[in-house]
């Protein structure tokens, strides 16, 4: 046991110290992370209770998943039952919460951690010594972690971006997909837009598949392309700076499937959809680069119709982008800037730190 840990209590399990904290973590942010990391360093065993209500603006199970990633080695438990959120809500508020904590942490609690004053009363009710951690409880660093709250993150996640961990960033990232037939400048435009908006972009996996293996593809190949592209987009959302650009997604693979095998497998239509699709019109010359197939005008026009109909039938948000290369870029930037950043209603908070 390190010197920074409290001496264990007597009795069963006396060989370790146990800590407890709870919150809504809606969403978890850097203030929560500092609280958790500090608490984890002070005890041998840390239990974190993630609380939610059915109408919370961010689903509780998702926050539970985030917290299990952000607090490895801790016992992270979820509680989603509808219960009073403040003492004035019910005369049974404290008995109810004593039972909830006892179920989550049946062992004696040595240290109870919180960044708000409510932790003192909670510790008196459930046992353990209250440890008031962080700048917020002192009213310090108000321009940094001391002034940070989950409600502020929900109201303006892009403005609070530096305080949000990668799994949470993925939730607030806008995904823009470049969609359309061959030789319409999707890759070039995706890279140019990523530079303009200081973020990253996801290249087209199907091109790598064609170059490494063959342009002759069956349904299994197309399903693999859709899966690989979707997985890469999901990974990219964690690393992007507010916006992620992708050179096609599984909807474009579905259009390819219509052309190559005569139908679009349902699996290609079931992947998560982007926030905005930019349909690049085939009003520029087709260039054969060795992996492109549909250059004849009637075939290219048919492919373009299929690509457009995939967007329409899927009910996604999309816009047409045509003209010369600079015109495409200018229109794309305008459309993307009009795409509102994510924001959420504040919801009700048990306590500020418990968000």
């Amino acid at each position: 046991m390190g010197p920074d840990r409290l001496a264990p209590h007597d009795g069963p399990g006396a060989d370790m110290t146990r800590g407890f904290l709870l919150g809504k973590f809606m969403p978890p942010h850097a203030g929560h992370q500092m609280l958790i990391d500090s608490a984890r360093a002070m005890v041998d065993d840390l239990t974190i209770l993630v609380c939610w209500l059915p109408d919370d603006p961010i689903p509780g199970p998702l926050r539970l998943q985030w917290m299990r990633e952000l607090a490895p080695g801790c016992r992270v438990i979820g509680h989603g039952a509808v219960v009073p959120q403040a003492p004035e809500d019910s005369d049974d508020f404290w008995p109810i919460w004593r039972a909830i904590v006892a179920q989550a942490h049946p062992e004696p609690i040595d240290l109870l951690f919180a960044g708000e004053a409510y932790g003192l009363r909670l510790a008196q009710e459930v046992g353990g010594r209250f440890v008031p951690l962080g700048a917020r409880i002192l009213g310090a660093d108000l321009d940094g972690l001391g002034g940070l709250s989950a409600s502020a993150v929900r109201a303006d996640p892009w403005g609070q971006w530096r305080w949000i961990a990668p799994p949470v960033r993925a939730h607030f990232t806008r995904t823009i997909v470049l969609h359309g037939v061959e030789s319409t400048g999707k890759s070039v435009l995706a890279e140019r837009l990523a530079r303009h908006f200081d973020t990253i972009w996801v290249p087209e996996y199907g091109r790598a598949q064609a170059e490494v293996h063959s342009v002759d593809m069956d349904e299994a190949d197309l399903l693999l392309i859709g899966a690989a592209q979707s997985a890469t987009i999901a990974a990219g959302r964690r690393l992007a700076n507010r916006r992620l650009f992708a050179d096609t997604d599984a909807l474009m693979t579905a259009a390819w499937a219509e052309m190559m095998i005569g139908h679009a497998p349902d699996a290609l239509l079931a992947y998560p959809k982007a926030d905005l699709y930019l349909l690049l019109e085939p009003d520029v010359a087709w260039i054969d680069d060795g992996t492109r197939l549909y250059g004849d005008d009637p075939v290219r026009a048919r492919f373009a119709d299929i690509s457009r109909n995939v967007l329409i039938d899927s009910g996604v948000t999309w816009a047409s982008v045509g003209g010369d290369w600079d015109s495409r870029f200018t229109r794309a930037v305008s459309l993307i800037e009009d795409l509102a950043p994510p924001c959420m209603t504040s919801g009700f908070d048990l306590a500020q730190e418990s968000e």
Side-chain angles (χ1 to χ4, degrees), residues 54-128:
D55 59 350
D56 283 345
I58 302 176
L62 177 61
R63 283 139 51 198
L64 181 63
Q65 176 184 323
W66 289 340
M67 291 302 295
R68 285 176 172 163
E69 179 176 349
L70 295 173
C74 297
R75 179 170 60 180
V76 183
I77 301 171
H79 182 272
V82 178
V83 294
Q85 298 295 291
E88 56 269 24
D89 294 343
S90 170
D91 292 339
D92 294 325
F93 175 83
W94 285 115
I96 289 170
W97 278 96
R98 283 198 299 268
I100 291 170
V101 173
Q103 183 176 21
H105 197 295
E107 308 88 357
I109 297 172
D110 294 302
L111 301 179
L112 188 144
F113 301 96
E116 290 286 340
Y118 78 87
L120 178 60
R121 176 64 187 273
L122 181 61
Q124 292 169 350
E125 294 288 340
V126 303

Side-chain angles (χ1 to χ4, degrees), residues 11 19 21 24 47 69 79 89 112 115 128 159 177 182 190 199 205 219 225 233 258 267-269 275 334 336 340:
L21 63 87
K24 285 196 169 186
T47 297
E69 179 176 349
H79 182 272
D89 294 343
L112 188 144
V177 167
E182 306 162 298
T199 187
Y205 173 78
E219 183 168 336
I225 289 170
I233 290 171
E258 288 276 3
L268 295 177
L269 303 173
D275 296 291
S334 177
I336 293 160

Side-chain angles (χ1 to χ4, degrees), residues 143-283:
D143 292 329
L145 296 186
L148 185 61
S149 71
S151 56
V153 174
R154 292 195 304 274
D156 183 17
W158 287 6
Q160 306 289 341
W161 200 251
R162 63 175 175 155
W163 305 122
I164 306 175
V168 184
R169 286 185 177 185
H171 182 73
F172 292 112
T173 293
R174 292 296 199 199
T175 303
I176 300 99
V177 167
L178 286 298
H179 185 93
V181 301
E182 306 162 298
S183 200
T184 53
K186 297 186 296 295
S187 297
V188 173
L189 183 56
E191 183 173 12
R192 188 175 178 185
L193 289 169
R195 287 200 306 268
H196 179 80
F197 288 101
D198 189 26
T199 187
I200 62 174
W201 67 287
V202 175
E204 181 186 11
Y205 173 78
R207 183 179 182 87
Q209 173 88 3
E211 290 180 352
V212 171
H213 298 289
S214 170
V215 295
D216 295 324
M217 298 183 190
D218 58 16
E219 183 168 336
D221 294 318
L222 292 163
L223 289 172
L224 175 61
I225 289 170
Q229 189 72 4
S230 296
T232 309
I233 290 171
R237 288 173 62 87
R238 297 168 60 95
L239 303 172
N241 177 20
R242 299 172 175 85
R243 301 175 180 91
L244 175 69
F245 295 94
D247 175 2
T248 79
D249 71 354
L251 289 184
M252 194 61 222
T253 311
W256 274 100
E258 288 276 3
M259 292 294 292
M260 302 183 85
I261 63 175
H263 71 280
D266 290 341
L268 295 177
L269 303 173
Y271 287 105
K273 307 302 187 289
D275 296 291
L276 176 64
Y277 290 81
L278 301 181
L279 174 62
L280 302 194
E281 299 291 351
D283 55 0

